[in-house]
Amino acid sequence: MADKIVILTGAGISAESGLGTFRDEGGLWAQHRIEDVATPEGFARDPALVHRFYNARRVQAASALPNPAHAALARLQRDWPGEVVIVTQNVDGLHEKAGARAIHMHGELSCALCAACGHRWTAPLEMSPGAPCPACNRPTARPDIVWFGEMPYHMDEIEAHLLSCDLFASIGTSGQVYPAAGFVQEAAYAGARSIELNLAESEISRAFDDHRTGPASEVVPAWVSELLD
Ligand code: OAD
């Protein structure tokens, strides 16, 4: 049976599509306080501020185009004889725009969530504070984004994939946010080989068996060609 590949992606894969990363110089977390815009407490304090932050990102993501790294992963998922599971921390939807399927562990900008009843629906480009939930009518609509202090989505499914994969690849993520930063160890525990593709060394580079250093738009297509051709 052909190898099963699990790929974790982070903000670095979308950097060359014009979307800012979080922790690089001048990144989103240098411009905004995490406590204000990416926690349930921040949303309770100032929902208008949080909506402004995600509205701006939603508008930007809506016009962003996938780059050659997203396209290469879509090609790998289509042409690899075994299973290719893409798990993304990104909320931008660029894997899908490139024709791939991805598990969204940190939610999606294109989706709204009712904080009261858990109903989900397609978010308008601009969400406003107090907008009613279409299912329960309470004014509790929020972006469907996993904030700090909340449990990432689909963890059981992701862990099952990690424990049954032969190769684990991490692309464009700084390895500073758990549980994603611990995936390489889980895959290694299950006997998988691992490779990190990143612009620079990350916090967790030493945990990987193999490395490709450079911009995702170059190193990812080259790696996919190595695997497929
Ligand atoms: P970070 O901003 O922490 O890290 C981005 C990584 O991408 C860094 O290691 C960069 O070196 C690398 N990088 C930058 N440009 C690149 C390029 N052109 N090609 C390849 N690599 C490049 O972003 P994440 O690791 O995705 O969570 O952050 C993880 C989570 O922290 C995010 O999902 C977000 C954030 O808080 C939530 O908002 C819940």
Side-chain angles (χ1 to χ4, degrees):
M1 206 165 74
D3 282 2
K4 171 169 174 170
I5 305 173
V6 174
I7 300 167
L8 171 71
T9 64
I13 197 170
S14 297
E16 292 160 87
S17 294
L19 302 180
T21 63
F22 295 94
R23 296 176 182 80
D24 292 304
E25 211 184 316
L28 281 169
W29 295 157
Q31 302 167 47
H32 306 269
R33 280 160 37 102
I34 288 179
E35 311 85 284
D36 290 341
V37 298
T39 62
E41 295 77 15
F43 186 61
R45 252 191 330 266
D46 193 345
L49 173 76
V50 176
H51 277 305
R52 269 202 307 280
F53 175 74
Y54 288 102
N55 285 344
R57 299 191 57 214
R58 193 176 297 108
V59 167
Q60 209 186 12
S63 61
L65 295 174
N67 66 56
H70 299 100
L73 294 190
R75 175 178 171 232
L76 183 65
Q77 202 172 47
R78 191 187 63 226
D79 294 348
W80 182 249
E83 193 181 357
V84 174
V85 177
I86 300 171
V87 178
T88 188
Q89 299 167 91
N90 298 344
V91 294
D92 56 33
L94 290 182
H95 286 302
E96 285 78 7
K97 273 192 193 166
R101 292 177 312 281
I103 299 174
H104 285 266
M105 63 179 292
H106 286 170
E108 293 175 74
L109 283 168
S110 60
C111 199
L113 168 71
C114 174
C117 75
H119 179 67
R120 287 190 166 81
W121 67 100
T122 301
L125 261 190
E126 303 247 330
M127 290 186 73
S128 22
C133 163
C136 72
N137 216 31
R138 278 178 280 189
T140 39
R142 57 168 275 184
D144 190 10
I145 302 288
V146 174
W147 287 325
F148 286 86
E150 298 182 322
M151 183 63 88
Y153 297 151
H154 311 298
M155 284 312 296
D156 289 348
E157 185 188 352
I158 294 168
E159 259 150 37
H161 285 308
L162 290 169
L163 293 177
S164 60
C165 75
D166 303 286
L167 176 62
F168 172 74
S170 168
I171 303 174
T173 176
S174 61
Q176 293 196 39
V177 176
Y178 283 82
F183 288 176
V184 60
Q185 262 109 10
E186 286 187 61
Y189 175 74
R193 288 172 294 120
S194 60
I195 179 166
E196 180 182 60
L197 301 95
N198 211 43
L199 191 58
E201 215 172 82
S202 76
E203 295 277 313
I204 55 167
S205 288
R206 268 170 308 176
F208 290 84
D209 301 317
D210 200 0
H211 302 88
R212 299 283 186 282
T213 306
S217 68
E218 292 173 19
V219 294
V220 177
W223 173 66
V224 167
S225 293
E226 265 176 56
L227 290 171
L228 287 178
D229 301 336

